[in-house]
Amino acid sequence: MTGSLLEVIALDVRDAVAAEQGGADRLEVVADMAADGLTPSPETVAAIAAECPLPQMVMLRRDARFTADADTLDRLARDAKALAQAGAAGFVFGFLDGAGAVDLAATEALIHAVSPLPWTFHRAVDHAADVQASWRAVRLLPNLATVLTSGAPTGVGNGLPVLKARAEAGDGSIILAGGGLRPAYVPSLLDYGIRAFHVGSAVRASWSDPVEWRLVRQWRALVERD
């Protein structure tokens, strides 16, 4: 990996190959972006692994909500096993309870299910009732690789103050900035000490269109300011 990490959302093999060609370091592999990203099939992960060497962080999520009951967790644990066998390098998940706090029981259940693979806590952290409390809870969990966050439910543009505060609090090394990420925000994020970036719609014309390697290349250059 180069100085900054660039993660690109991939829905299929074509996206993954374009992301690699453009200089991405890592993939977030998902299905159904209409539901904000759900668990892909093991077949998709295996197909990507056969054509692209980039690590795949695979989404574990059954619907667009941030909550999970026992049956859902059981299904996700089974999914994780099949996806790991197919080539997943790690996973993306995270849950809130009915009060909007980090659901530690649910999250820890999946951490155990995917162990020893690393995982990313996704943007549920931005939707927590108490963002500072959610960060305190998440940052202590085992095998945590990154926290995908925009700092605000509405996107990075409104979340810059929170991202700055989290970086100043010592969380810069685990922040994966994404969700409404635009080129104009990158210099500030780099100034905060954030070095991991996540892009999806920014590297394609629409979610119906494939990743464009030239756009990935532009982001690669952008995040490598130094």
Side-chain angles (χ1 to χ4, degrees), residues 3-55:
S4 291
L5 183 144
L6 180 62
E7 179 179 273
V8 173
I9 294 176
L11 303 175
D12 53 29
V13 172
R14 183 167 58 170
D15 285 349
V17 171
E20 180 193 4
Q21 186 178 6
D25 299 297
R26 193 168 82 182
L27 306 172
E28 181 190 75
V29 182
V30 306
D32 194 1
M33 284 306 300
D36 203 27
L38 304 181
T39 302
S41 70
E43 290 77 16
T44 295
V45 170
I48 291 173
E51 299 293 335
C52 176
L54 295 182

Side-chain angles (χ1 to χ4, degrees), residues 41-185:
S41 70
E43 290 77 16
T44 295
V45 170
I48 291 173
E51 299 293 335
C52 176
L54 295 182
Q56 298 183 57
M57 299 295 286
V58 180
M59 182 65 73
L60 291 177
R61 196 179 186 198
R62 283 285 179 173
D63 58 49
R65 299 173 298 170
F66 294 119
T67 56
D69 58 22
D71 288 342
T72 298
L73 289 171
D74 285 344
R75 293 177 67 186
L76 291 175
R78 291 194 297 271
D79 289 342
K81 182 177 180 180
L83 291 162
Q85 291 173 344
F91 294 95
V92 184
F93 55 87
F95 306 101
L96 303 178
D97 62 23
V102 173
D103 188 335
L104 289 174
T107 304
E108 288 173 345
L110 273 197
I111 292 171
H112 178 74
V114 307
S115 179
L117 294 179
W119 62 285
T120 290
F121 195 99
H122 62 51
R123 288 190 60 208
V125 72
D126 298 329
H127 295 261
D130 184 331
V131 172
Q132 290 192 21
S134 71
W135 273 92
R136 287 195 298 270
V138 169
R139 68 196 303 270
L140 298 175
L141 293 170
N143 295 333
L144 176 68
T146 45
V147 178
L148 175 58
T149 174
S150 58
T154 50
V156 173
N158 292 321
L160 286 172
V162 171
L163 294 175
K164 181 180 181 181
R166 296 319 314 166
E168 291 175 345
D171 293 328
S173 64
I174 59 171
I175 289 175
L176 176 60
L181 183 62
R182 297 180 183 177
Y185 306 145

